[in-house]
């Protein structure tokens, strides 16, 4: 089992010969955001057996990035996503295989089970749009059980809803000076880690994109969340092996099943 972090919430999870891609975002610029660290992922990053889309925000459901996937790629999206984001139907007609899921649903890809789990986050397609597709996380269950949290805040019963996991890919920051509700900062991510109690963790969703013109506004929120998460995790979940990765780096966490 291997995890590659491409930046923001985009990861490749390879397990049992099956390749999963999370929330693909390959752009140098997205609206008012510019990629400030790490080169955009190489073409091979778009190779996947299945893609896991956590929610409808455009930095997680990015249509131009999804359009780079090969025809026939399976794309799991929150139930209601195609109705809220009509561009998904155009991608489906171009050859992507959309599968709508809700929390509790399970899908099998190449013998590996993917289970959708709840997330505490605003799932609307912003800046406008009804709340038609609740945000999700996913647990990939093959040789290891890998939890991709997407975007989420702490919520009651989180560990029970997610279930036992071996590896947790947890958001620890954001793309601006301030985090709103429904997010984890480094400290809250460490609290979630203590509840989930996996063998290993990889911090994601930080240190990649930043608003144009705001370089001098709370820059520590861009640079420091990964190191802060390592520090908080050492205090709250000392038995968990935390693997902060650079963009494009990969790790094979040691897990015991």
């Amino acid at each position: 089992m291997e995890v590659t972090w491409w930046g923001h919430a985009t990861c490749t999870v390879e397990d049992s010969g099956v390749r999963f891609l999370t929330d693909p975002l390959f752009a140098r610029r997205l609206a008012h955001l510019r990629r400030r660290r790490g080169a955009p992922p190489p073409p091979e990053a778009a190779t996947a057996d299945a893609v896991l889309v956590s929610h409808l925000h455009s930095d997680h459901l990015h249509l131009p990035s999804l359009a780079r996937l090969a025809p026939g790629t399976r794309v799991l999206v929150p139930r209601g996503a195609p109705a809220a984001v009509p561009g998904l139907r155009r991608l489906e007609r171009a050859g992507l295989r959309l599968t709508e899921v809700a929390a509790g649903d399970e899908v099998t890809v190449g013998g590996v089970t993917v289970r959708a789990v709840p997330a505490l986050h605003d799932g609307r397609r912003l800046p406008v749009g009804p709340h038609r597709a609740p945000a999700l996380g996913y647990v990939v269950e093959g040789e290891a059980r890998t939890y991709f949290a997407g975007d989420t805040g702490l919520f009651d019963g989180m560990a029970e809803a997610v279930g036992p996991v071996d590896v947790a890919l947890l958001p620890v920051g954001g793309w601006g000076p301030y985090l709103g509700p429904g997010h984890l900062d480094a400290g809250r991510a460490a609290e979630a880690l203590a509840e989930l109690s996996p063998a290993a963790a990889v911090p994601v969703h930080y240190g990649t994109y930043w608003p144009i013109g705001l370089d001098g506004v709370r820059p520590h929120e861009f640079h420091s969340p990964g190191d802060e998460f390592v520090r908080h995790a050492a205090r709250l979940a000392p038995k968990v092996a935390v693997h902060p990765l650079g963009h494009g780096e990969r790790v094979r966490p040691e897990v015991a099943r």
Side-chain angles (χ1 to χ4, degrees):
M1 182 269 174
E2 186 174 80
V3 175
T4 305
W5 183 49
W6 301 112
H8 203 54
T10 306
C11 300
T12 293
V13 176
E14 297 182 68
D15 193 318
S16 306
V18 184
R19 186 177 172 100
F20 297 90
L21 179 64
T22 67
D23 287 351
L25 181 58
F26 302 141
R28 290 184 180 275
R29 179 172 174 177
L30 173 63
H32 65 300
L33 304 180
R34 182 167 59 231
R35 191 176 181 107
R36 298 302 308 276
R37 182 185 290 164
E44 56 265 29
T47 301
D49 298 292
V51 174
L52 312 179
V53 175
S54 63
H55 63 288
L56 306 190
H57 292 172
S58 56
D59 59 323
H60 293 258
L61 196 169
H62 186 243
L63 294 173
S65 294
L66 292 175
R68 290 175 53 179
L69 302 170
T73 303
R74 192 167 193 176
V75 181
L76 276 60
V77 297
R79 186 169 295 165
V85 186
L88 283 172
R89 290 300 186 199
R90 292 193 293 272
L91 292 176
E92 187 174 39
R93 290 192 292 270
L96 296 185
R97 298 167 54 207
L98 294 185
T99 301
E100 298 181 53
V101 294
D105 290 348
E106 293 187 354
V107 175
T108 300
V109 181
V112 176
T113 299
V114 180
R115 178 167 48 89
V117 298
L120 179 63
H121 192 68
D122 185 342
R124 292 175 295 171
R125 183 69 164 182
L126 300 177
V128 296
H131 195 140
R132 287 189 287 188
L136 299 172
Y138 294 93
V139 177
V140 176
E141 301 187 29
E143 290 296 321
R145 295 164 297 197
T146 303
Y147 170 46
F148 168 61
D151 248 352
T152 187
L154 282 169
F155 58 90
D156 292 339
M158 186 178 194
E160 182 178 357
V162 172
V165 292
D166 302 298
V167 181
L169 312 181
L170 292 178
V172 302
W175 50 253
Y178 301 97
L179 284 175
H183 293 88
L184 296 176
D185 62 10
R188 291 192 294 272
E191 292 179 37
L193 189 67
E195 290 188 25
L196 296 165
S197 191
V202 176
V204 302
H205 204 278
Y206 76 100
T208 308
Y209 292 91
W210 200 250
I212 294 169
L214 293 185
D215 294 13
V217 181
R218 294 172 60 84
H220 63 282
E221 297 293 352
F222 178 85
H223 293 286
S224 66
D227 291 339
E228 289 183 3
F229 176 69
V230 171
R231 186 172 66 254
H232 288 300
R235 176 173 55 87
L236 297 176
K239 294 183 179 180
V240 181
V242 178
H243 302 279
L245 301 178
H247 295 80
E249 290 186 347
R250 60 194 63 195
V251 65
R252 291 184 176 178
E254 293 188 10
V255 297
R257 290 295 304 274

